[in-house]
Amino acid sequence: MPGYRGRFAPTPSGPLHFGSLIAALASFLDARHVGGCWLVRIEDTDPPRCPPGADTQILRQLEAFGLYWDEEVRYQSTRHAAYQNALDRLAAQSLAYPCSCSRKQWREHAVYPGWCRDGIRQPDQPVAWRLRSDLGLRPVTWQDRLFDEQTFDPAQLGDVVLKRKDDLWAYQLAVVIDDADQGISDVVRGHDLLDNTPWQRQLQVALGLPEPRYLHLPLIVADNGQKLSKQNLAPALPTRDDAVRTLLHQALIALDQAPSAELASAPVADQLAAATAAWDVSRLRPEVFKAQPLPRHRSS
């Protein structure tokens, strides 16, 4: 596919785990299968959640699995000016507004009820900046490459935060600005972010940015039914060669790519070459959750 540019964008709050590998591997194969570029972006907009060295550990884990990126790694912590410019443009269109409300104040509501839309309720309090979801593109419809047509009304999802009260940038705005700036044509990520797409589409339209294609992947869950995540203490990906070979093969199975059994012990480069040539999105089953297809592994 001419002009294909994909990316993997982890938050460096800890090491990658098997669920992270699924997202990284799928986005890598999707790009490489068509001769496209694959980028890595470190989403470190929340320094308190990002321990020193976590970004380096993530990059070393990707390299252990043969997932080498094109172009320089981008760090969102260096992108303040670009995000502020976008927020200023949204505010000029009355699509972003300051909000002094705390989560405790609106805890009885399913989503933030928009109390500060017409003016800050508590002028003496710090403010966050929110997206005016009722004024943007509505409804939002897109064709997901796995889950088919999706339609949402962003106003029913609430006015999402774009900049926090502590002056840190929120995910929704940062990801949209960087995807556009890096020319990302295809976003491959977990199903847990599918319902974030409506806000991102609103921002893309408001800022005159292109719309990438979206492929949302099933979420890997452990034996207890919990999604594999850093918060749930999912085991870190190993970097030992024997463990990496086995785990890479299991990840291809989890992605419904049906790798041959003979490849299970093959070198990483050989497994990736075969998987790249055979990559087929149509093999993916549109499941929101998928059981972890392997026993727990030891990290190293």
Side-chain angles (χ1 to χ4, degrees):
M1 176 182 175
Y4 185 111
R5 290 174 64 84
R7 49 69 164 179
F8 175 58
T11 298
S13 55
L16 301 180
H17 50 76
F18 188 73
S20 313
L21 176 61
I22 293 298
L25 180 60
S27 61
F28 177 89
L29 294 176
D30 203 52
R32 291 290 189 253
H33 179 71
V34 294
C37 291
W38 187 69
L39 310 182
V40 171
R41 183 167 68 229
I42 301 296
E43 298 196 336
D44 58 343
T45 57
D46 190 350
R49 291 183 56 216
C50 302
D55 60 319
T56 300
Q57 183 179 12
I58 286 172
L59 297 178
R60 298 296 81 79
Q61 288 176 306
L62 291 174
E63 289 176 331
F65 281 83
L67 305 180
Y68 295 98
W69 50 91
D70 305 304
E71 302 182 8
E72 184 178 356
V73 175
R74 169 168 292 190
Y75 287 79
Q76 288 189 326
S77 56
T78 67
R79 299 277 294 155
H80 171 85
Y83 305 149
Q84 187 62 55
N85 177 267
L87 182 60
D88 292 344
R89 291 173 59 194
L90 293 168
Q93 299 177 63
S94 298
L95 293 176
Y97 64 92
C99 172
S100 62
C101 299
S102 68
R103 182 67 181 86
K104 182 178 180 181
Q105 290 172 318
W106 57 275
R107 65 178 181 271
E108 295 181 0
H109 297 264
V111 299
Y112 175 64
W115 289 332
C116 290
R117 284 176 173 174
D118 298 318
I120 301 172
R121 296 184 77 192
Q122 300 168 291
D124 58 334
Q125 296 297 313
V127 298
W129 282 82
R130 292 182 179 273
L131 174 66
R132 185 76 186 256
S133 60
D134 64 321
L135 296 183
L137 175 67
R138 295 174 60 197
V140 171
T141 299
W142 78 94
Q143 189 72 21
D144 192 83
R145 293 173 60 198
L146 179 58
F147 291 94
D148 298 327
E149 185 174 272
Q150 301 291 314
T151 300
F152 288 83
D153 181 355
Q156 294 180 358
L157 302 175
D159 292 354
V160 72
V161 170
L162 303 176
K163 190 177 187 182
R164 296 172 11 181
K165 289 183 179 181
D166 55 8
D167 283 336
L168 295 179
W169 295 101
Y171 166 73
Q172 306 297 346
L173 182 62
V175 72
V176 163
I177 298 307
D178 283 327
D179 279 348
D181 185 67
Q182 293 185 289
I184 300 303
S185 65
D186 286 76
V187 172
V188 180
R189 60 189 182 185
H191 189 277
D192 54 333
L193 294 172
L194 184 143
D195 62 2
N196 287 209
T197 310
W199 289 314
Q200 293 166 23
R201 285 292 300 125
Q202 282 195 321
L203 289 167
Q204 289 158 356
V205 170
L207 295 168
L209 304 177
E211 176 187 8
R213 297 195 305 168
Y214 290 96
L215 169 58
H216 288 91
L217 303 165
L219 301 174
I220 304 298
V221 295
D223 294 340
N224 60 8
Q226 288 187 325
K227 184 189 82 166
L228 292 185
S229 68
K230 296 166 187 173
Q231 291 84 356
N232 292 332
L233 304 179
L237 291 178
T239 54
R240 302 187 324 274
D241 185 63
D242 59 335
V244 166
R245 294 184 188 197
T246 299
L247 206 55
L248 180 57
H249 192 260
Q250 293 290 349
L252 292 169
I253 292 172
L255 287 167
D256 301 320
Q257 296 304 297
S260 68
E262 292 75 16
L263 281 173
S265 58
V268 165
D270 293 348
Q271 290 197 47
L272 286 177
T276 297
W279 173 250
D280 186 353
V281 172
S282 69
R283 290 179 176 172
L284 281 166
R285 293 189 292 273
E287 304 167 321
V288 176
F289 299 106
K290 183 185 290 288
Q292 186 177 5
L294 75 168
R296 291 187 179 274
H297 53 273
R298 296 184 295 113
S299 60
S300 70

